[in-house]
Amino acid sequence: MSSPRVHASPLFLSLLAAAMWGPAAQAADVTIRPAAGSGFAVKDASGTQIRFRVDEGGAIAAPGIGASPAVANRVCYGAAGVLGPCQASAVGATGATGPTGPTGPQGPAGATGAAGGAGPQGLQGPVGATGPAGAAGTTGTAGPAGATGAPGAAGSFAGSYMGAWSAATAYASGTLVSQGGSTYLQVSASDSINADPSVSPAVWALVAQAGAAGATGATGATGSAGVAGAAGAAGPAGAAGPAGATGPAGATGATGATGATGDLTGAVQFAPAVQQAATTSSALVNLKLVGAATLGSAGNTPLLSLSASGLYLDGQNHDKERVRVDNDGAILSVGDFSNGMGGAPAEGPGTRFLWYPQKASLRAGQIDGTQWDDANIGMYSTAFGYNARASGDYGFAVGQGTVASNGNSVAMGLYNVASGFASVALGMGAHTNARQGSFVFADRSFSTFCDGGVSCSPETYFRAGVNNSFNVRAAGGVNLYTNAAATTGLRMSYLSTGGSNFYGSFVWTDRSSDTAITPSGTNQAIFRSSGGFTIYTDAGLAAGVTVGAGGGSWSSVSDRNLKENFAAVDGEDVLRRLRAVPVTTWNYKTEGLAVRHMGPMAQDFSAAFRLGDSDTKIATIDPDGVALAGVQALDKRTVAQQQRIDALQKDLQAKEEALAAMAQRLQRLEKLLSQARP
């Protein structure tokens, strides 16, 4: 039986040709000469299986080689009959592509990939329509009134009742007094200010409110006529006749001897009559307190004490001390607050000191109009100076032409107006403009404003624009220092032509160092805030930027809880849009050609991504987001490409392993051939 003839693989044949049939026979070659009409064969160890055979015609049979040889490399017989690589000219045209082999079995399923990140939260659905209101139920009948409870046990009270309240008495905590028909309990540690119970809830607690006056009773019946009186006494004697003419004066008698000096210890000594004459240059009243007691204690042995006893405006009889001059020079004037009942002590122009207890208000200075008339005096207000008016309750006006016309307002200086509630006007020509809670300071840079008593024109006032604002006009600069050496704090420089006071500059320095910081040029803003710097852009402190302590870059507020309306981003779409955004180098016109920058134009960036609130500005957070989305998209590409590379490398490794196995088989074959040579 003839052996199967196969086409050996090109690699196998090439190696075999190089090993067995070199280009020329050498002296050490092994020569096999089979009998005519036969060849030679290589068998296995048992001698039964042919592994390799060459017949007389040169045909090669290798039963162990597969029937479908590789065709990448070809072997040919040369002119000398040697089997080896074919010459280029000997290679025939590439044959037609063979039919596609059957599809291999499906590989095992890959391991399950890691779970993807949670997708963005969906948008909140619209609020459903409000359902119709239910019909109102009928009102139930009123239940019977409950029985009146038994009277509670009588409480105990450790204080004492001191009768009607007096401003001249100091009351201890726990004291009960009556005032205006009501009863009050002293609740503070002491009543050092003799506060009126009816207007001092921090000192006195109302225990029993005065009841309303009862209706006037009916007029009683007219009594019966009395018994007739006894007859009157005899009438007086008639008038005396006219006096006779005065006789001539008698001669002056001799002066009597001087009497002994009386004991005046502790008594008030009046000055001699000659000192009390209206034409004298001495004091009209000259009194001296001489006593053995130690002087200098308030209320102890006063020089003067004036009191008033009788029926007061509250409908009660009181005996109250009104004026006292202590022996240490202290002066006390006590009055009753009554919301202005009784009117101001004096009105109209004049120069005076005025204490108005009915409104608890004080005035001192001079006015040329109605500034201190009752209608222009606020409760608990104060006004000092020239034409100063405090018509608002709790107002305070000091200076010239100042006005505190609203409650709790303050005006100090020259022609300042505090017309807003709880507002402050200082300097010259400051006007709070009826803006509550505002502060206005105006300097004298408007040199002709209200100067020298000239009346002010409304347009020259420096006014507050909105409520609760801080407004300052200081043409010479603003300096707020936080240390004694005046090296740290806040400076806003004034207009200057040289030196270190560069105009238009703003310098803020904290107390982390006492080293002063000065601007290096005009119109600069410099901050030293070693604990960090934060700028908020909304009232709720939910938006803004921060530079941390020791930091060198801005951190934007980016809390998830402060954001809404989330939408997923397609990274490939971001890359596609980004390709259309030109990125160039450029310089700001204000910096000059020497200072270069790199980046897109705001118009191009806005057209591509529609981010931010302007097409002429770029918020730094938006390019960061675009860059991150682009990086994620490129990373996704990289992962996919790496997976493909890994698959190709795995396939290449499998082919290399198959080739290595074939090489090992060839080595074994060569070894067998070598052993078979004689």
Side-chain angles (χ1 to χ4, degrees), residues 340 342-354 356 359 363 367-377:
E347 292 190 339
T351 302
R352 55 183 173 267
F353 179 90
L354 186 152
Y356 187 2
K359 287 190 175 181
R363 298 292 185 272
I367 53 173
D368 57 13
T370 62
Q371 291 88 343
W372 294 355
D373 284 3
D374 189 77
N376 287 325
I377 298 179

Side-chain angles (χ1 to χ4, degrees), residues 30-466:
V30 176
T31 303
I32 300 175
R33 294 180 179 177
S38 62
F40 74 90
V42 178
K43 297 184 178 181
D44 61 6
S46 65
T48 59
Q49 296 293 326
I50 297 175
R51 298 303 187 194
F52 183 78
R53 176 181 176 81
V54 180
D55 60 15
E56 184 179 19
I60 299 173
I65 298 176
S68 300
V71 296
N73 295 314
R74 296 176 176 81
V75 293
C76 300
Y77 284 106
V82 177
L83 184 65
C86 299
Q87 298 295 327
S89 59
V91 178
T94 302
T97 302
T100 303
T103 302
Q106 181 176 352
T112 303
Q121 180 178 348
L123 298 178
Q124 181 175 347
V127 178
T130 303
T138 58
T139 304
T141 58
T148 302
S156 60
F157 177 67
S160 59
Y161 178 69
M162 300 296 291
W165 173 81
S166 172
T169 304
Y171 295 96
S173 179
T175 301
L176 284 171
V177 297
S178 61
Q179 168 76 330
S182 300
T183 303
Y184 298 89
L185 173 66
Q186 227 278 15
V187 294
S188 67
S190 65
D191 183 17
S192 60
I193 61 173
N194 294 338
D196 187 338
S198 64
V199 294
S200 305
V203 179
W204 296 93
L206 179 64
V207 176
Q209 177 72 45
T216 304
T219 304
T222 304
S224 58
V227 179
T246 303
T252 302
T255 302
T258 301
T261 302
D263 183 8
L264 300 178
T265 302
V268 176
Q269 301 182 39
F270 287 91
V274 66
Q275 291 182 323
Q276 300 180 36
T279 58
T280 182
S281 60
S282 302
L284 181 62
V285 178
N286 190 350
L287 304 178
K288 179 185 292 185
L289 174 65
V290 179
T294 302
L295 304 180
S297 299
N300 184 20
T301 318
L303 294 175
L304 176 67
S305 177
L306 303 178
S307 300
S309 179
L311 184 64
Y312 281 76
L313 291 174
D314 63 359
Q316 303 292 323
N317 286 300
H318 301 286
D319 184 1
K320 299 183 178 182
E321 183 182 42
R322 288 312 193 188
V323 177
R324 187 178 76 222
V325 180
D326 285 334
N327 56 52
D328 61 354
I331 300 175
L332 172 67
S333 176
V334 180
D336 296 325
F337 181 84
S338 62
N339 288 317
M341 292 176 62
E347 292 190 339
T351 302
R352 55 183 173 267
F353 179 90
L354 186 152
W355 161 236
Y356 187 2
Q358 286 84 355
K359 287 190 175 181
S361 299
L362 188 64
R363 298 292 185 272
Q366 181 181 0
I367 53 173
D368 57 13
T370 62
Q371 291 88 343
W372 294 355
D373 284 3
D374 189 77
N376 287 325
I377 298 179
M379 305 294 179
Y380 310 100
S381 64
T382 303
F384 298 147
Y386 177 68
N387 285 344
R389 173 165 62 91
S391 53
D393 293 345
Y394 311 96
F396 187 81
V398 176
Q400 177 183 348
T402 55
V403 178
S405 59
N406 211 323
N408 302 279
S409 58
V410 176
M412 299 175 63
L414 176 62
Y415 291 103
N416 297 309
V417 179
S419 56
F421 182 82
S423 64
V424 178
L426 303 177
M428 175 180 169
H431 201 307
T432 62
N433 203 26
R435 301 299 190 262
Q436 64 179 354
S438 60
F439 179 99
V440 181
F441 173 84
D443 61 3
R444 198 187 172 194
S445 58
F446 202 113
S447 59
T448 61
F449 177 83
C450 301
D451 226 352
V454 179
S455 61
C456 305
S457 54
E459 67 274 7
T460 56
Y461 279 108
F462 176 59
R463 299 172 180 266
V466 295

